[in-house]
Structures are given as structure tokens and as C-alpha cells.
């Protein structure tokens, strides 16, 4: 397959988007709610909260389960993340107009943090209660982390490659970065990309609570996650899935596709610092941001908006704030996790879509619960009410356990 040289890098555009979140079952509803300053974080009413006496009892659960759009057979044969990927893929593919493309020029790149953990738990329960003959023969395909990407690849007949980044909380953003490179270098004409993640359950809550990474403001769900705020005490789990269709600008123009935005470049770095802790000086984050800007052919002064990873943890937010202040100190910053929670492998893709909406509409939603600056680093965090101003270029940052750093450079349509 012919790959373009650096001097022949192709422009990459977004021709369709789809998402489901704790605020709405679609991207438009989510976006409107975010601009209005609404929150999707609420008290959890699941039985497991009481059964295990969990110290954290809040989260951003989806407004609609993906199973509502699938047949019973599809529900039985797919893990939760695969169900989510299939539903969103069908939506985004139809939204793109179900384009006619050579399968050998069509690829998929979908990330997830944990894969089909629910299927693994179910298989183990079956094994313990009924023996090995009660374990589904589909257990392995349902559990494997590449399952969502593989299922979507089969759904649309992609033959230019199926990619499945598992880079913790940077997975969705890294999937978009790989999609951008595939198209920009000429390896594909269209890529379905994004991220999905499993639902809120007792085990991840317990694990992160023991790490003291979660907010324990159970009596104030809306005010629990406080990105960049002096009184932040941890993140809040959220559920989400987000996919988009990327195309070469030439291919999209030839078929008359609507353009929602542009992916201009990507930067991927690693901290080499700690398995869970981020480099406190923000070096890896800053290098990813600079790499994305350079790949886009821009300068730091061109970046007007940064969609921050900002989870609401004390060290993580300070680290990212230092990187933003060092690279793009003038940019208007938005942190969506205050309203949506942290959806791990899906969040990088979701927040890239939110950044594209901000550029398209010239609107930056307010960061919820930002009341007192911590005083360590001064950055322009949009809060209180949405800010309206013309926007052309922005960055979307995503960072994950293990020291994964991804920054996407984005442009308006």
C-alpha cells in the first residue's frame, strides 16, 4: 500500500460524530447541556453500593443503555463495550452517509481502557457455579480489549487495518491520533475512530477509592469533581462512548460530505515517571502539546482553546496546568469532567468531539465547580457561564496511567 511522504501529508477532516454520555444519549443533547452548565453527576442507586458499603456513591451513568438498540442475540454475543461500539458505529456510519469506499482503504481505530471486563466476571461466575461446560465459547472474543474495534471492523468491512489502543485514559485520543496518521500518510481514505468504556461497577470504584483518587463528596454529586479548583479531592467516574468518521479532505470533497471539523495533527509522548502518577512538572504533557502543534504546522500562539484532561485530582491538575501555562498560556481552557465525570478509555475521544464543537460554534462551555484558583499556576479556566468568541484552532489533551500523553491539534470546519 502506497504511503505518502512527509511533503505529501493529506488534510484530514471529520465528516460524522456520535456520542452517548451521562447528560444525553447523543452528542447534540450533551453539548447543549454542557453549554447551559448542567451536570450529569448524580447519586448511584445500584445495589452494589450498599452491598459493599462503598465509600464513593456518585457517578455519571449513561442516560441510555446501548442494549436498547440491539437485538437479544446481539446483546448475548457482545460484551458491554462491544455493544456500545456497535451502536455508535452504526449511528456515525449512517450520519456520514454510509460512504462507498474501497474496503482496502477503510480502517478502524477504537480504544478502550479495560475491554470486556463484564464478560470476564460473568464467565468466572459461570465456571464457579456450573463448571467449565457452562462458560460461553464467545468468552474470549467478548473479553479481549480489541473486541470493540474488531466488531466495528467486521460491521463495516474494514480491510485497511483495525487498531485498538489500550492506553488507559488516553486510549480514545490515541485512537484518533492513529486514525489521523493513517489518512494523512495515505494508508487509508476513511477511518472510524474513537473510544468506548465499560459501565460503573463496584470493583473499579473500590480500586480507585483505595488509591484515594476518587472524590468522596457523596452529599454533593454536582459539586464533587472540581477541575483545577483549590479544593479538588479526586475524580468522579463517568460513562460514555464516542466515535467519529475521519476522511481525507479530498475524498470527502469528492463525495460532497459535510465537514464538522479538522484533525490537524497529534502528539504522543510518555512520562517515564510512575505507573499511576503524572510527572509533576508537566514535561511529558508539554512535549505532547508541542508535538501536536508542530505536526499541524501551527505555532503555540495560534492555539486559542485547550480542552483539558483535568480530572480533579490534586497532582494531575497541577501538572497539566503547568504544561498549559508553559506552552499555550493565553488559551481559554475548558475541563468537561466536572460535568460528565471521567469515562477512562472513552474520554479522550469524547472530549475531542467537544473541542471540535467549541471551534465550530465559537462557544466554550463553563468548567463546573471552579471557584478558587489553587494559586500554583495561572491559566485562563472558563467558568461561571459559557464564553462566546471566534475560534480557529485548539488542542484536546488526554493523559493515562503508565505515563501516556496524547494531544490532538484541531481546527474549525
Amino acid at each position: 500500500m502506497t504511503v505518502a511522504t512527509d511533503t505529501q501529508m493529506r488534510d484530514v477532516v471529520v465528516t460524522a460524530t456520535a456520542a452517548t454520555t451521562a447528560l444525553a444519549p447523543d452528542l447534540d443533547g450533551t453539548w447543549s447541556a454542557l453549554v447551559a452548565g448542567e451536570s450529569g453527576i448524580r447519586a448511584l442507586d445500584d445495589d452494589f453500593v450498599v452491598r459493599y458499603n462503598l465509600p464513593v456513591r456518585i457517578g455519571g451513568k449513561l442516560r441510555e443503555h446501548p442494549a436498547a438498540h440491539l437485538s437479544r442475540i446481539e446483546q448475548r454475543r457482545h460484551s458491554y463495550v462491544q455493544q456500545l461500539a456497535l451502536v455508535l458505529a452504526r449511528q456515525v456510519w449512517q450520519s456520514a452517509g454510509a460512504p462507498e469506499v474501497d474496503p482496502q482503504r477503510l480502517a478502524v481505530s477504537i480504544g478502550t481502557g479495560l475491554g470486556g471486563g463484564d464478560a470476564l466476571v460473568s464467565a468466572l461466575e459461570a465456571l464457579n457455579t456450573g463448571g467449565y461446560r457452562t462458560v460461553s465459547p464467545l468468552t474470549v472474543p467478548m473479553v479481549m480489549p480489541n473486541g470493540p474495534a474488531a466488531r466495528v471492523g467486521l460491521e463495516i468491512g474494514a480491510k485497511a487495518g483495525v487498531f485498538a489502543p489500550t492506553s488507559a485514559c488516553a486510549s480514545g485520543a490515541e485512537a484518533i491520533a492513529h486514525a489521523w496518521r493513517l489518512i494523512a500518510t495515505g494508508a487509508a481514505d476513511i477511518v472510524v475512530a474513537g473510544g468506548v468504556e465499560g459501565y460503573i461497577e463496584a470493583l473499579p470504584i473500590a480500586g480507585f477509592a483505595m488509591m484515594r483518587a476518587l472524590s468522596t463528596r457523596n452529599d454533593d454529586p454536582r459539586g464533587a469533581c472540581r477541575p483545577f479548583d483549590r479544593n479538588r479531592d479526586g475524580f468522579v467516574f463517568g460513562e460514555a462512548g464516542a466515535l467519529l468518521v475521519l476522511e481525507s479532505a479530498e475524498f470527502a470533497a469528492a463525495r460532497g460530505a459535510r465537514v464538522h471539523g479538522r484533525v490537524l495533527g497529534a502528539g504522543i509522548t510518555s512520562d517515564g515517571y510512575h505507573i499511576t502518577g503524572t510527572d509533576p512538572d508537566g514535561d511529558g504533557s508539554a512535549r505532547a502539546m508541542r508535538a501536536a502543534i508542530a505536526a499541524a504546522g501551527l505555532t503555540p500562539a495560534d492555539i486559542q482553546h485547550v480542552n483539558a484532561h483535568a480530572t480533579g485530582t490534586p497532582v494531575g491538575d497541577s501538572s497539566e496546568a503547568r504544561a498549559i501555562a508553559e506552552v499555550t498560556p493565553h488559551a481559554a481552557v475548558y475541563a468537561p469532567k466536572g460535568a460528565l465525570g471521567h469515562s477512562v478509555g472513552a474520554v479522550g475521544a469524547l472530549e475531542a468531539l467537544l473541542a471540535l464543537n467549541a471551534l465550530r460554534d465559537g462557544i466554550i462551555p463553563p468548567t463546573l465547580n471552579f471557584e478558587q484558583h489553587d494559586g500554583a499556576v495561572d491559566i485562563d479556566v472558563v467558568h461561571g457561564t459559557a464564553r462566546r468568541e471566534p475560534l480557529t484552532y485548539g488542542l484536546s489533551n488526554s493523559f493515562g496511567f503508565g505515563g501516556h500523553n496524547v494531544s490532538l491539534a484541531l481546527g474549525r470546519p
Side-chain angles (χ1 to χ4, degrees), residues 173-174 177-178 181 266-270 287-288 291-292 405-407:
E174 187 171 324
H178 289 317
R181 284 178 174 154
I268 300 177
T269 67
S270 53
R287 285 187 289 110
N405 306 304
V406 180
S407 187

Side-chain angles (χ1 to χ4, degrees), residues 327-397:
V327 179
T328 58
H330 58 284
V333 179
Y334 172 50
K337 293 182 182 66
L340 295 171
H342 188 1
S343 51
V344 193
V347 79
L350 173 61
E351 294 186 358
L353 296 190
L354 299 180
L356 286 168
N357 275 13
L359 297 174
R360 179 197 65 194
D361 297 345
I363 301 174
I364 302 174
T367 298
L368 298 191
N369 308 318
F370 180 81
E371 297 172 354
Q372 298 184 56
H373 201 288
D374 68 5
V377 181
D378 186 17
I379 57 175
D380 179 16
V381 179
V382 177
H383 63 287
T385 59
R387 183 182 300 178
R388 300 172 185 270
E389 61 183 58
L391 299 169
T392 304
Y393 302 115
L395 294 178
S396 185
N397 289 340

Side-chain angles (χ1 to χ4, degrees), residues 18 103 180 184 193 203 293:
W180 167 73
L203 187 58
I293 293 170

Side-chain angles (χ1 to χ4, degrees), residues 40-111:
I41 308 302
R42 43 200 182 273
L44 298 175
D45 57 6
D46 303 87
D47 293 340
F48 63 71
V49 173
V50 176
R51 187 190 324 147
Y52 297 110
N53 191 28
L54 294 176
V56 175
R57 304 183 173 209
I58 53 177
K61 301 199 76 172
L62 287 185
R63 290 292 185 178
E64 182 179 72
H65 196 288
H69 299 274
L70 298 170
S71 69
R72 290 185 179 181
I73 292 177
E74 289 175 321
Q75 293 175 37
R76 290 199 304 268
R77 292 182 175 179
H78 298 92
S79 65
Y80 177 84
V81 286
Q82 291 172 358
Q83 292 180 29
L84 193 54
L86 271 177
V87 169
L88 290 172
R90 289 168 181 173
Q91 292 175 358
V92 81
W93 193 246
Q94 290 303 312
S95 179
E100 294 185 7
V101 57
D102 180 352
Q104 296 186 48
R105 305 289 299 166
L106 173 63
V108 170
S109 182
I110 298 176

